[in-house]
Amino acid sequence: MATTLRARPAALNLTPTAEARIAALMAKAPADAIGVKLSTPRRGCSGLAYSVDYVTEANGFDERIETPGGVLYVDGASILYLIGSTMNWVEDDFTAGFVFDNPNAKGACGCGESFTV
């Protein structure tokens, strides 16, 4: 009996506007950048924050998500906090930034900069 493998769903979903922003970031990235990386460092009043930075070296523990404009790496230590989340890019008259719909977040601080799981 043959085993049939199916594609593993992405750990993180990206909206078209998030993919377009990654493409824009990669278009002006430093020469040694291979993608952008999402991580959740410990900071803020709720404990964890979202951080997006350029990455110059692949880490075998990171989740790699191919987008039309470049590669998004998700920090291996952060992936459990982000599974099932949707990453969006939002711009209005006063702010611009990545916004996350994270089903794992149990709370957030009042300023919206950090979250807890």
Side-chain angles (χ1 to χ4, degrees):
M1 175 181 256
T3 301
T4 304
L5 297 177
R6 61 184 172 123
R8 182 169 56 107
L12 179 76
N13 301 304
L14 283 85
T15 64
T17 55
E19 290 177 347
R21 182 60 182 165
I22 290 171
L25 288 170
M26 290 309 297
K28 61 181 180 180
D32 60 344
I34 61 169
V36 293
K37 184 172 185 174
L38 171 62
S39 60
T40 56
R42 295 201 177 282
R43 97 174 149 225
C45 43
S46 286
L48 299 170
Y50 301 104
S51 178
V52 179
D53 299 294
Y54 290 112
V55 65
T56 57
E57 187 176 310
N59 179 332
F61 294 106
D62 292 346
E63 183 80 17
R64 179 185 166 102
I65 301 172
E66 297 283 340
T67 75
V71 179
L72 172 68
Y73 293 90
V74 182
D75 178 62
S78 301
I79 196 71
L80 290 177
Y81 306 131
L82 299 169
I83 291 175
S85 296
T86 298
M87 181 178 180
N88 192 11
W89 176 260
V90 176
E91 289 184 43
D92 63 25
D93 291 340
F94 301 105
T95 62
F98 286 109
V99 176
F100 297 87
D101 179 14
N102 186 343
N104 305 301
K106 301 296 182 222
C109 66
C111 63
E113 292 294 316
S114 61
F115 69 101
T116 186
V117 289

